[in-house]
Amino acid sequence: MTRFSRRDLLAVMGGAALVPMLGIPQGHAATRYIVIGTGGTGGVFYPYGGGLAQLLSKKLPDTQATAEVTGGSVDNVKLLATGDAEIGFSTVDSAYDGFKGEEVYKDAGPQKIATLAVLYPSVLHVVASKASGIKTVADIKGKRASVGSAGSSTESIADRVLAAGGLDPMKDVTRDNLGVAESVGALKDGKVDVFFWIGGVPTAAVKDLVSTNANDVTFINTGDLAGALAAKYPGVYRPSTLKKGAYDGLEADLPVLGVDNVLLVPEAMDGGLVKEILAAMFDNLAEVAQIHPVAKQLKLETAAAKSAVPHHPAAVEFYKSRGVTAG
């Protein structure tokens, strides 16, 4: 099936004709279209991307930015590389695999992407039904697990964590490829025993699950595997903590695996646009902070932090102009 973004429709059919349908005031039709690849509706990328699209549409002249639901990091990296999106959210591990042309990108080869900003850390959520008896990653052997959408960064992390726990991710578990919202529904309905999800805290779908089912689920410790994974994938994974009270039923800090999230752009993006986007974000941090709780973590210093995927040269120049060294 041919994929058309809203930008494509505007370009093909004529922006002015679609203005009323898209809710853009007549007489103010945008001349520049920015597509932002996000993720599933139950995660953090989607609301964050939607808020960013609103901000850019409001702050950049003659610009209409739209956020698109996607399969997540892998989809977004590929959309950027093929020119079907201008901005994309990704976990840094998937971005790095794409940049190197490894793992799920092996057939496609290296993806020409660059980092715009390091956003916030995600933590690995491994959530099991108490009825399953799962208390450790090793206990997932022989169980039915949702390992994330096919080809997503969640699936990649799930496979690596299962392997680090001594399991064969393809043979020792019955796999379902579900997004986080679908995973939550499947766990509630007893269709899966456990699900994996890499995302910011709080993730809406997980928060919804524990608000009504806190006594029926348990969060699994992955911190004991984080050190080995951080050593095997330097600069990608690190030990992290799911803080007490982050979700209903979480009564103590839980050691987990952590990974940073990055905002990516095509390697060939015009440097002037890169600087415009960053200026719109950092000149309006109070508005960014209202988008989602994790958006409050956006700061110049952390956005410019070293990433496994190099920053766009224009981003490096922007951060330098604000007194921060990128990378």
Side-chain angles (χ1 to χ4, degrees):
M1 178 182 241
T2 303
R3 174 188 173 277
F4 289 104
S5 68
R6 285 171 41 157
R7 181 193 57 203
D8 295 328
L9 292 171
L10 282 164
V12 172
M13 299 176 66
L18 288 180
V19 163
M21 183 174 72
L22 296 180
I24 305 169
Q26 294 197 47
H28 294 82
T31 57
R32 180 169 58 180
Y33 307 105
I34 294 176
V35 172
I36 303 174
T38 63
T41 57
V44 174
F45 287 173
Y46 179 69
Y48 202 151
L52 181 59
Q54 290 182 12
L55 179 75
L56 296 181
S57 296
K58 178 179 169 185
K59 302 296 182 181
L60 299 185
D62 298 324
T63 298
Q64 179 65 32
T66 59
E68 287 196 356
V69 174
T70 70
S73 299
V74 176
D75 270 1
N76 296 340
V77 168
K78 291 179 177 178
L79 290 172
L80 292 170
T82 57
D84 289 314
E86 284 68 45
I87 300 174
F89 287 76
S90 178
T91 54
V92 74
D93 59 332
S94 186
Y96 180 71
D97 285 347
F99 181 69
K100 300 291 285 185
E102 299 174 347
E103 300 292 338
V104 297
Y105 305 92
K106 203 166 189 178
D107 291 339
Q111 307 291 288
K112 294 185 180 300
I113 55 173
T115 295
L116 186 69
V118 179
L119 296 176
Y120 63 92
S122 275
V123 301
L124 178 62
H125 300 62
V126 183
V127 186
S129 67
K130 287 188 177 176
S132 71
I134 297 171
K135 296 181 179 178
T136 68
V137 171
D139 292 338
I140 299 175
K141 185 172 183 177
K143 304 294 185 180
R144 190 172 200 98
S146 173
V147 294
S149 301
S152 67
S153 58
T154 294
E155 183 178 36
S156 177
I157 291 170
D159 288 349
R160 290 169 179 176
V161 167
L162 288 167
L167 305 183
D168 183 327
M170 298 300 167
K171 296 179 180 179
D172 288 337
V173 299
T174 300
R175 300 166 67 89
D176 281 333
N177 288 111
L178 305 174
V180 63
E182 293 78 16
S183 293
V184 164
L187 192 74
K188 283 181 178 179
D189 295 340
K191 295 178 179 177
V192 299
D193 299 301
V194 60
F195 70 82
F196 288 77
W197 164 249
I198 185 77
V201 180
T203 290
V206 178
K207 188 174 181 180
D208 173 67
L209 169 67
V210 297
S211 68
T212 54
N213 298 80
N215 294 327
D216 301 320
V217 301
T218 184
F219 290 84
I220 306 302
N221 181 328
T222 54
D224 54 345
L225 305 175
L229 285 164
K232 187 172 182 179
Y233 303 97
V236 175
Y237 300 120
R238 56 187 172 78
S240 188
T241 304
L242 192 55
K243 295 288 187 181
K244 172 185 176 181
Y247 295 105
D248 291 346
L250 196 58
E251 298 176 352
D253 288 354
L254 183 73
V256 291
L257 181 69
V259 60
D260 282 333
N261 295 281
V262 290
L263 205 57
L264 302 171
V265 294
E267 190 178 85
M269 177 177 270
D270 175 73
L273 180 56
V274 167
K275 293 176 181 178
E276 282 188 68
I277 292 168
L278 287 171
M281 293 169 61
F282 288 101
D283 290 344
N284 299 281
L285 280 177
E287 290 185 47
V288 173
Q290 297 302 310
I291 295 173
H292 188 278
V294 301
K296 295 180 175 66
Q297 299 179 47
L298 183 66
K299 303 287 187 297
L300 273 169
E301 295 75 14
T302 52
K306 184 175 177 61
S307 170
V309 175
H311 282 73
H312 190 287
V316 174
E317 292 176 9
F318 171 85
Y319 291 119
K320 183 177 180 180
S321 74
R322 299 294 177 102
V324 178
T325 301

